Amino acid sequence: MDILAQVLNGLGIGSIYALVALGYSMVYGIVQLINFAHGDIIMVGAYVTYVGLVMAGVPLWAAVLISILFCGIAGVLIEKLAYSRLLKKGAPRISLLITAIGVSIFLQNLSQLLFSSSAKSMPAMFPNGMLELGALQVSSNTLLNIGTSIVMMIALQLLVNKTKIGKAMRATSEDAGAAKLMGISTSSTIAFTFGVGSALAAVGAVLYCNTFHQITPYMGGMLGLKAFVAAVLGGIGSIPGAMLGGYILGVAESLTTAAGGSQITDAIVFGILILVLLVKPAGLFGKNTREKV
């Protein structure tokens, strides 16, 4: 039962990675861009939640909603201000990558300027009790994380596969030039994708704050990197792959920590990525594609 409990705890942490990984996969699936600033959107969402709950004293539901909306709008603005012109001019991918790193550093320094570099304590947002499932005890927050991630994945799948904007996203991903000829506004579609991915990161930020109760200007660095690893592990561009990758990393971390290997947790995480990519370079759910020449 101890192993099963650790697996469930790992799924709870992995759910946060998975929600952030979804944003990486969506953006890469549309414009083949690794948006390394995405990890810092988690930090932005955490601080917006902090401002709402602690500084402004608004109700929890309002703070969460404000955080999601703020991050969604921030994602759109970042795309328009930092990436849009580069994408339109067909800039080299390295230019986009450098820009993403620049946006990441800007967000970290801006938050440090506004809130200082010291850590802020977050209050518990949701009641956390121990639920007994036979001989197994599970934290209600763990189940909340897992349930939220599953609901978000299903909602995202429905959005992509069952809606008009989802059809535009898939068309832009397949061939942006042909999508334009069919009357699809690819620029609006790309901006919408950034917005949705950033909103999902805000949901992950709320779950993170409720789980760890502490935020810093640099919290998005390692968290975003692990989420990116999860996206690559599952097959970047794949929604189910991002979820599975997040769960695998969370469980690996939990089991490693339980075995007394907390000092090598990060090494285990990246080791898993290397092993999987050696066997399946495109990731677990990824597809091998050929470059067009």
Side-chain angles (χ1 to χ4, degrees):
M1 286 298 179
D2 288 340
I3 293 179
L4 183 56
Q6 292 301 326
V7 169
L8 286 173
N9 290 335
L11 290 175
I13 302 301
S15 296
I16 300 174
Y17 296 153
L19 285 171
V20 184
L22 287 173
Y24 279 113
S25 281
M26 289 178 64
V27 170
Y28 185 85
I30 297 294
V31 292
Q32 284 72 56
L33 164 67
I34 304 299
N35 180 24
F36 276 118
H38 187 65
D40 293 288
I41 295 295
I42 313 164
M43 176 270 296
V44 172
Y47 272 106
V48 173
T49 305
Y50 173 82
V51 169
L53 273 181
V54 178
M55 299 178 67
V58 302
L60 174 60
W61 66 267
V64 172
L65 183 60
I66 291 170
S67 178
I68 293 172
L69 291 175
F70 187 94
C71 287
I73 294 171
V76 173
L77 289 176
I78 288 172
E79 190 278 330
K80 290 298 183 184
L81 296 175
Y83 303 128
S84 182
R85 287 180 61 83
L86 293 175
L87 290 170
K88 288 179 180 177
K89 292 180 177 295
R93 297 301 169 189
I94 188 65
S95 299
L96 291 165
L97 179 61
I98 293 171
T99 301
I101 295 172
V103 172
S104 174
I105 294 172
F106 170 79
L107 291 175
Q108 290 178 9
N109 282 271
L110 179 62
S111 64
Q112 188 174 0
L113 180 65
L114 294 175
F115 300 101
S116 82
S117 59
S118 59
K120 304 293 184 185
S121 297
M122 289 291 296
M125 291 183 280
F126 302 98
N128 185 27
M130 298 303 294
L131 303 178
E132 294 188 3
L133 304 175
L136 180 66
Q137 289 188 330
V138 185
S139 166
S140 59
N141 280 341
T142 295
L143 297 179
L144 174 66
N145 290 357
I146 297 171
T148 301
S149 67
I150 292 174
V151 169
M152 291 294 102
M153 183 192 72
I154 293 173
L156 187 58
Q157 284 280 54
L158 292 174
L159 172 69
V160 172
N161 295 313
K162 302 295 183 182
T163 65
K164 185 176 181 180
I165 185 65
K167 185 181 292 186
M169 290 167 66
R170 285 183 283 125
T172 303
S173 175
E174 288 291 333
D175 191 325
K180 284 183 180 180
L181 294 175
M182 296 299 292
I184 295 173
S185 175
T186 56
S187 60
S188 298
T189 302
I190 293 170
F192 178 80
T193 303
F194 270 83
V196 172
S198 297
L200 288 171
V203 176
V206 171
L207 296 180
Y208 179 92
C209 292
N210 186 57
T211 302
F212 297 103
H213 308 296
Q214 193 175 69
I215 59 176
T216 69
Y218 305 104
M219 61 179 279
M222 183 55 70
L223 182 56
L225 185 58
K226 288 182 179 179
F228 172 66
V229 169
V232 175
L233 179 63
I236 193 162
S238 167
I239 294 174
M243 295 293 294
L244 180 60
Y247 290 154
I248 290 174
L249 291 194
V251 170
E253 283 192 2
S254 181
L255 292 177
T256 302
T257 302
S262 58
Q263 295 180 338
I264 61 169
T265 298
D266 292 343
I268 294 295
V269 166
F270 291 100
I272 291 173
L273 174 67
I274 293 170
L275 289 175
V276 170
L277 294 184
L278 285 174
V279 178
K280 201 170 189 305
L284 296 175
F285 287 174
K287 296 179 180 179
N288 291 314
T289 57
R290 295 181 179 178
E291 292 290 336
K292 295 179 179 179
V293 295

